[in-house]
Amino acid sequence: MARPWKERVFMALLGAATVSGLTMLVLVLVEATNVLLPADTKFGIVFDAGSSHTSLFVYQWPADKAKDTGVVSQALACQVEGPGISSYTSDPAQAGESLRGCLGEALALIPKAKHRGTPMFLGATAGMRLLRQKNSSQAGDILAAVSGVLSQSPVDFWGAEVLSGRDEGAFGWITINYVLGLLIKYSSGEWTQPAEETLVGALDMGGASTQISFVPGGPILDESTQATFRLYGANYSIYTHSYLCFGRDQMLQRLLAGLAQVRLSSPTAGLVRHPCYHSGYQATLSLASLYESPCVHAAAPLNLTQNLTVEGTGSPGACVAAIRELFNFSSCKAPADCAFDGVYQPPVQGPFYAFSNFYYTFSFLNLTSRQPLGTANTTVWEFCQRPWRLVEASYPEQEHWLRDHCASGLYILTLLLEGYGFSAETWANIQFQNQAGGTDIGWTLGYMLNLTGMIPAKAPAQWRAQSYGVWTAGVVFVVLTLAAIVGAAAVHLFWVQD
Ligand SMILES: *[C@@H]1O[C@H](CO)[C@@H](O)[C@H](O)[C@H]1NC(C)=O
Ligand SMILES: *[C@@H]1O[C@H](CO)[C@@H](O)[C@H](O)[C@H]1NC(C)=O
Ligand SMILES: *[C@@H]1O[C@H](CO)[C@@H](O)[C@H](O)[C@H]1NC(C)=O
Ligand SMILES: *[C@@H]1O[C@H](CO)[C@@H](O)[C@H](O)[C@H]1NC(C)=O
């Protein structure tokens, strides 16, 4: 009578061992495929539509969500031919057409099968902000033309928009801190949150605007300059401000207009002596183009068809004086907490990365190796005093910007020291760099990470927990399998002994 009962128990235990063993095998296989199979690569495309030109960036990352933190890399940077999209006011359709070349390059790089799953964005910055102020219907026409072309492409076009200055600053800050691995770090199998003191500030300068973003040492007293976000479980509150019309190209226009204004009211009207151009430099330009910019507020002279002759004098002292006129330093009621033009700013704090036009100007002047302030000053002044004939002979290919490096160099020094309040001491915290880890520094990567939700608000600890879960289940099933086998063996032993 006992045998069938023991036999049934034996068979049941053996069955349990088999089921448990198979479950364990499946779990191990699932985990092994996760670890061993090469992660699928995903792509994203962002157009940076700046005031003077448009760039396209293609980013790539492994599709495995648990492992993609900190591994988005730049697969392509393409410079769109022609001016910025805001220049196409008389022919908006052409703004869209201009993007086709770089778009083609991006599509050729990304495997066809992935096109449909690739998100694409276009963000326009200060050039379009200015145009929208001047004539919003023209700005709308251009965005529509651009969207028309991009939405026909086989990728997943999410839209074209004009970024606010605050977002531009915040996304630049996110990009640089993400690329440097300062938001979260994965090393020896663990996610860690680096100390807050290691976070870096961002100094960005485009053609039409310039941005400063950093974590101040104290509270941010003016909400309009604050950006807050939650990334990987940590709350960040950064100070950020974008100065419209303080980008390099608009600064140069305002500078020239300021100098021309003085001259136009004098008997030698038509001739401008420009202290920031090298001595011996001479050029003729149309007045109309100068007064087209919405950043130039000076009253336009009656006769805009007049041409202007500009003559360089190469005098850095007078150039700095003319540059100071572009700032309103007297508009700050509380100078300790104020930059210029009445804009609130806490004292600069921590290390900074200065990129885009900050970098290009300083790279031309060989000043990107963290030279002390004294060296930077002397180098710029000496360059400004070089006769045009020598400058031209030294850089035969750099025709376009060559005359402007002196003004840009002195402008950057004035902005950083007198505007933002860097000192000879804190100057040493500024690094002039345009790439980190093979990725260009700018707002585009931060923008894409945010829009695709790739930076979660929560800490990645739960991803580890998930993985732990699989192993815990594995161990439980090993124990269950063994228990069932031992049980079956014991039952079998008694049954045989019976
Ligand atoms: C804006 O541009 C459109 C088209 O170019 C033009 O018809 C209109 O008069 C402009 N509006 C303003 C306020 O300048
Ligand atoms: C500077 O700002 C102050 C206060 O806002 C203003 O009264 C003054 O006119 C400004 N100066 C210039 C040159 O714009
Ligand atoms: C920068 O360095 C290069 C190579 O040493 C030199 O040819 C060039 O003149 C320097 N530029 C300036 C602006 O001094
Ligand atoms: C990122 O996107 C979210 C919405 O998805 C938004 O609420 C947040 O403000 C964005 N972050 C920044 C820095 O703009």
Side-chain angles (χ1 to χ4, degrees):
M1 269 337 261
R3 280 191 185 183
W5 173 78
K6 284 194 179 166
E7 200 175 330
R8 273 210 301 276
V9 172
F10 173 71
M11 294 313 281
L13 282 172
L14 217 57
T18 312
V19 169
S20 172
L22 283 176
T23 312
M24 188 178 74
L25 196 68
V26 168
L27 278 177
V28 166
L29 281 178
V30 163
E31 186 64 12
T33 12
N34 263 348
V35 174
L36 297 177
L37 282 191
D40 198 19
T41 305
K42 286 195 162 193
F43 296 89
I45 305 174
V46 187
F47 280 95
D48 171 357
S51 62
S52 58
H53 73 280
T54 302
S55 314
L56 168 149
F57 297 96
V58 176
Y59 297 105
Q60 64 175 34
W61 62 94
D64 180 359
K65 187 97 180 156
K67 292 180 196 69
D68 67 7
T69 309
V71 291
V72 175
S73 58
Q74 185 175 308
L76 175 73
C78 178
Q79 305 299 321
V80 169
E81 268 181 51
I85 59 169
S86 54
S87 312
Y88 291 95
T89 45
S90 55
D91 189 3
Q94 214 42 46
E97 293 304 314
S98 73
L99 308 179
R100 286 194 195 273
C102 278
L103 182 60
E105 274 193 46
L107 294 178
L109 176 90
I110 302 169
K112 268 212 168 64
K114 305 241 161 102
H115 283 175
R116 289 194 58 171
T118 298
M120 175 163 74
F121 318 91
L122 182 139
T125 52
M128 287 295 281
R129 253 174 253 147
L130 283 169
L131 179 60
R132 205 167 49 181
Q133 272 181 17
K134 194 173 150 192
N135 188 328
S136 65
S137 81
Q138 283 180 339
D141 289 349
I142 289 176
L143 282 182
V146 157
S147 300
V149 167
L150 297 184
S151 59
Q152 284 162 18
S153 79
V155 300
D156 184 11
F157 178 53
W158 287 36
E161 63 169 339
V162 180
L163 259 72
S164 70
R166 184 178 3 187
D167 281 353
E168 191 181 356
F171 290 135
W173 185 91
I174 291 178
T175 299
I176 179 65
N177 284 285
Y178 175 88
V179 169
L180 294 176
L182 299 173
L183 300 177
I184 192 147
K185 230 187 168 84
Y186 189 74
S187 63
S188 41
E190 267 199 73
W191 295 103
T192 53
Q193 203 107 49
E196 181 155 302
E197 301 85 72
T198 60
L199 292 170
V200 301
L203 298 166
D204 189 1
M205 187 187 287
S209 70
T210 192
Q211 286 77 240
I212 176 170
S213 314
F214 63 98
V215 177
I220 298 168
L221 303 176
D222 176 352
E223 242 176 49
S224 71
T225 61
Q226 187 176 31
T228 56
F229 29 86
R230 188 170 172 78
L231 314 170
Y232 304 120
N235 288 321
Y236 296 92
S237 168
I238 67 168
Y239 165 83
T240 183
H241 187 77
S242 175
Y243 292 90
L244 199 55
C245 296
F246 281 85
R248 185 183 62 175
D249 306 343
Q250 291 304 326
M251 176 279 297
L252 292 170
Q253 295 272 309
R254 292 165 62 215
L255 182 62
L256 184 55
L259 293 163
Q261 197 63 24
V262 177
R263 281 296 148 190
L264 287 169
S265 49
S266 84
T268 53
L271 175 74
V272 175
R273 291 167 64 77
H274 201 312
C276 313
Y277 291 164
H278 301 267
S279 61
Y281 175 86
Q282 204 179 55
T284 305
L285 47 95
S286 88
L287 261 183
S289 70
L290 186 56
Y291 287 94
E292 247 168 39
S293 161
C295 291
V296 173
H297 296 303
L302 292 175
N303 184 6
L304 273 177
T305 56
Q306 209 183 344
N307 274 345
L308 208 59
T309 302
V310 187
E311 234 178 54
T313 63
S315 18
C319 176
V320 170
I323 286 172
R324 282 201 185 112
E325 294 294 316
L326 306 177
F327 297 81
N328 188 340
F329 291 116
S330 58
S331 61
C332 283
K333 283 178 216 102
D337 261 3
C338 182
F340 56 89
D341 287 22
V343 175
Y344 165 80
Q345 185 208 299
V348 288
Q349 164 86 20
F352 278 85
Y353 270 62
F355 41 96
S356 44
N357 281 328
F358 282 110
Y359 171 81
Y360 298 130
T361 301
F362 268 44
S363 161
F364 173 85
L365 296 164
N366 295 332
L367 286 173
T368 55
S369 325
R370 311 200 80 156
Q371 285 94 337
L373 179 57
T375 311
N377 238 325
T378 319
T379 305
V380 182
W381 277 58
E382 278 176 8
F383 176 70
C384 290
Q385 285 165 324
R386 251 184 250 175
W388 178 244
R389 150 181 75 77
L390 295 186
V391 173
E392 228 179 355
S394 319
Y395 310 96
E397 313 98 48
Q398 298 219 23
E399 195 54 53
H400 188 52
W401 291 113
L402 200 51
R403 66 165 195 201
D404 294 317
H405 289 303
C406 161
S408 299
L410 292 174
Y411 170 61
I412 287 174
L413 289 169
T414 308
L415 175 67
L416 293 180
L417 300 167
E418 296 174 49
Y420 295 158
F422 282 94
S423 63
E425 205 177 301
T426 52
W427 173 266
N429 297 336
I430 309 175
Q431 195 153 332
F432 292 84
Q433 204 166 313
N434 77 329
Q435 280 212 331
T439 296
D440 288 274
I441 310 170
W443 56 265
T444 50
L445 177 56
Y447 182 64
M448 186 191 73
L449 293 173
N450 185 265
L451 285 179
T452 54
M454 237 190 293
I455 298 189
K458 284 187 186 151
Q462 75 204 47
W463 299 333
R464 258 157 65 74
Q466 235 169 42
S467 187
Y468 270 147
V470 170
W471 291 112
T472 311
V475 169
V476 166
F477 282 110
V478 167
V479 170
L480 281 180
T481 311
L482 286 178
I485 288 172
V486 168
V491 171
H492 187 245
L493 208 63
F494 289 127
W495 163 31
V496 170
Q497 272 173 357
D498 276 0

PDB file of all heavy atoms in Angstrom, residues 337-350:
ATOM      1  N   ASP A 337      25.729  91.691  -6.667  1.00  0.00           N
ATOM      2  CA  ASP A 337      24.824  90.650  -7.145  1.00  0.00           C
ATOM      3  C   ASP A 337      24.338  90.929  -8.560  1.00  0.00           C
ATOM      4  O   ASP A 337      23.239  90.537  -8.931  1.00  0.00           O
ATOM      5  CB  ASP A 337      23.598  90.583  -6.223  1.00  0.00           C
ATOM      6  CG  ASP A 337      23.741  89.462  -5.209  1.00  0.00           C
ATOM      7  OD1 ASP A 337      24.805  88.811  -5.218  1.00  0.00           O
ATOM      8  OD2 ASP A 337      22.800  89.243  -4.440  1.00  0.00           O
ATOM      9  N   CYS A 338      25.126  91.628  -9.341  1.00  0.00           N
ATOM     10  CA  CYS A 338      24.622  92.089 -10.633  1.00  0.00           C
ATOM     11  C   CYS A 338      25.761  92.091 -11.635  1.00  0.00           C
ATOM     12  O   CYS A 338      26.908  92.423 -11.296  1.00  0.00           O
ATOM     13  CB  CYS A 338      24.058  93.494 -10.448  1.00  0.00           C
ATOM     14  SG  CYS A 338      23.344  94.206 -11.923  1.00  0.00           S
ATOM     15  N   ALA A 339      25.482  91.649 -12.861  1.00  0.00           N
ATOM     16  CA  ALA A 339      26.518  91.607 -13.884  1.00  0.00           C
ATOM     17  C   ALA A 339      26.570  92.949 -14.621  1.00  0.00           C
ATOM     18  O   ALA A 339      27.423  93.793 -14.365  1.00  0.00           O
ATOM     19  CB  ALA A 339      26.249  90.465 -14.844  1.00  0.00           C
ATOM     20  N   PHE A 340      25.633  93.157 -15.536  1.00  0.00           N
ATOM     21  CA  PHE A 340      25.539  94.433 -16.274  1.00  0.00           C
ATOM     22  C   PHE A 340      24.152  94.493 -16.893  1.00  0.00           C
ATOM     23  O   PHE A 340      23.411  93.494 -16.860  1.00  0.00           O
ATOM     24  CB  PHE A 340      26.633  94.551 -17.340  1.00  0.00           C
ATOM     25  CG  PHE A 340      26.652  93.407 -18.322  1.00  0.00           C
ATOM     26  CD1 PHE A 340      25.901  93.437 -19.487  1.00  0.00           C
ATOM     27  CD2 PHE A 340      27.425  92.271 -18.075  1.00  0.00           C
ATOM     28  CE1 PHE A 340      25.915  92.377 -20.382  1.00  0.00           C
ATOM     29  CE2 PHE A 340      27.445  91.207 -18.965  1.00  0.00           C
ATOM     30  CZ  PHE A 340      26.682  91.262 -20.123  1.00  0.00           C
ATOM     31  N   ASP A 341      23.799  95.629 -17.445  1.00  0.00           N
ATOM     32  CA  ASP A 341      22.454  95.831 -18.006  1.00  0.00           C
ATOM     33  C   ASP A 341      21.360  95.439 -17.003  1.00  0.00           C
ATOM     34  O   ASP A 341      20.284  94.981 -17.389  1.00  0.00           O
ATOM     35  CB  ASP A 341      22.272  95.042 -19.320  1.00  0.00           C
ATOM     36  CG  ASP A 341      23.056  95.672 -20.464  1.00  0.00           C
ATOM     37  OD1 ASP A 341      24.022  96.410 -20.185  1.00  0.00           O
ATOM     38  OD2 ASP A 341      22.712  95.435 -21.634  1.00  0.00           O
ATOM     39  N   GLY A 342      21.675  95.608 -15.729  1.00  0.00           N
ATOM     40  CA  GLY A 342      20.685  95.342 -14.690  1.00  0.00           C
ATOM     41  C   GLY A 342      20.371  93.875 -14.468  1.00  0.00           C
ATOM     42  O   GLY A 342      19.380  93.544 -13.828  1.00  0.00           O
ATOM     43  N   VAL A 343      21.213  92.974 -14.980  1.00  0.00           N
ATOM     44  CA  VAL A 343      20.927  91.537 -14.847  1.00  0.00           C
ATOM     45  C   VAL A 343      21.519  90.977 -13.560  1.00  0.00           C
ATOM     46  O   VAL A 343      22.722  91.132 -13.304  1.00  0.00           O
ATOM     47  CB  VAL A 343      21.477  90.757 -16.061  1.00  0.00           C
ATOM     48  CG1 VAL A 343      21.297  89.258 -15.860  1.00  0.00           C
ATOM     49  CG2 VAL A 343      20.799  91.219 -17.339  1.00  0.00           C
ATOM     50  N   TYR A 344      20.665  90.346 -12.763  1.00  0.00           N
ATOM     51  CA  TYR A 344      21.101  89.716 -11.521  1.00  0.00           C
ATOM     52  C   TYR A 344      22.068  88.574 -11.807  1.00  0.00           C
ATOM     53  O   TYR A 344      21.856  87.795 -12.739  1.00  0.00           O
ATOM     54  CB  TYR A 344      19.882  89.170 -10.772  1.00  0.00           C
ATOM     55  CG  TYR A 344      20.236  88.199  -9.669  1.00  0.00           C
ATOM     56  CD1 TYR A 344      20.667  88.665  -8.429  1.00  0.00           C
ATOM     57  CD2 TYR A 344      20.166  86.831  -9.870  1.00  0.00           C
ATOM     58  CE1 TYR A 344      21.017  87.778  -7.424  1.00  0.00           C
ATOM     59  CE2 TYR A 344      20.507  85.939  -8.873  1.00  0.00           C
ATOM     60  CZ  TYR A 344      20.938  86.412  -7.650  1.00  0.00           C
ATOM     61  OH  TYR A 344      21.293  85.527  -6.662  1.00  0.00           O
ATOM     62  N   GLN A 345      23.140  88.498 -11.026  1.00  0.00           N
ATOM     63  CA  GLN A 345      24.060  87.353 -11.131  1.00  0.00           C
ATOM     64  C   GLN A 345      24.814  87.161  -9.825  1.00  0.00           C
ATOM     65  O   GLN A 345      25.492  88.071  -9.354  1.00  0.00           O
ATOM     66  CB  GLN A 345      25.076  87.573 -12.266  1.00  0.00           C
ATOM     67  CG  GLN A 345      25.973  86.353 -12.506  1.00  0.00           C
ATOM     68  CD  GLN A 345      27.336  86.699 -13.074  1.00  0.00           C
ATOM     69  OE1 GLN A 345      27.438  87.262 -14.152  1.00  0.00           O
ATOM     70  NE2 GLN A 345      28.393  86.358 -12.332  1.00  0.00           N
ATOM     71  N   PRO A 346      24.727  85.969  -9.217  1.00  0.00           N
ATOM     72  CA  PRO A 346      25.557  85.707  -8.042  1.00  0.00           C
ATOM     73  C   PRO A 346      27.023  85.604  -8.469  1.00  0.00           C
ATOM     74  O   PRO A 346      27.301  85.416  -9.658  1.00  0.00           O
ATOM     75  CB  PRO A 346      25.037  84.364  -7.520  1.00  0.00           C
ATOM     76  CG  PRO A 346      24.188  83.788  -8.591  1.00  0.00           C
ATOM     77  CD  PRO A 346      23.906  84.816  -9.610  1.00  0.00           C
ATOM     78  N   PRO A 347      27.977  85.717  -7.513  1.00  0.00           N
ATOM     79  CA  PRO A 347      29.396  85.628  -7.880  1.00  0.00           C
ATOM     80  C   PRO A 347      29.714  84.301  -8.577  1.00  0.00           C
ATOM     81  O   PRO A 347      29.162  83.266  -8.209  1.00  0.00           O
ATOM     82  CB  PRO A 347      30.123  85.717  -6.537  1.00  0.00           C
ATOM     83  CG  PRO A 347      29.144  86.313  -5.594  1.00  0.00           C
ATOM     84  CD  PRO A 347      27.786  85.932  -6.074  1.00  0.00           C
ATOM     85  N   VAL A 348      30.595  84.351  -9.590  1.00  0.00           N
ATOM     86  CA  VAL A 348      30.945  83.113 -10.310  1.00  0.00           C
ATOM     87  C   VAL A 348      31.587  82.134  -9.339  1.00  0.00           C
ATOM     88  O   VAL A 348      32.275  82.533  -8.398  1.00  0.00           O
ATOM     89  CB  VAL A 348      31.896  83.380 -11.508  1.00  0.00           C
ATOM     90  CG1 VAL A 348      31.162  84.068 -12.620  1.00  0.00           C
ATOM     91  CG2 VAL A 348      33.123  84.161 -11.082  1.00  0.00           C
ATOM     92  N   GLN A 349      31.355  80.851  -9.607  1.00  0.00           N
ATOM     93  CA  GLN A 349      31.739  79.825  -8.637  1.00  0.00           C
ATOM     94  C   GLN A 349      32.155  78.552  -9.365  1.00  0.00           C
ATOM     95  O   GLN A 349      31.455  78.090 -10.260  1.00  0.00           O
ATOM     96  CB  GLN A 349      30.511  79.563  -7.744  1.00  0.00           C
ATOM     97  CG  GLN A 349      30.528  78.308  -6.922  1.00  0.00           C
ATOM     98  CD  GLN A 349      31.249  78.539  -5.600  1.00  0.00           C
ATOM     99  OE1 GLN A 349      31.391  79.679  -5.159  1.00  0.00           O
ATOM    100  NE2 GLN A 349      31.724  77.472  -5.000  1.00  0.00           N
ATOM    101  N   GLY A 350      33.314  77.997  -9.009  1.00  0.00           N
ATOM    102  CA  GLY A 350      33.724  76.690  -9.532  1.00  0.00           C
ATOM    103  C   GLY A 350      34.387  76.756 -10.901  1.00  0.00           C
ATOM    104  O   GLY A 350      34.592  77.830 -11.465  1.00  0.00           O
TER     105      GLY A 350
END
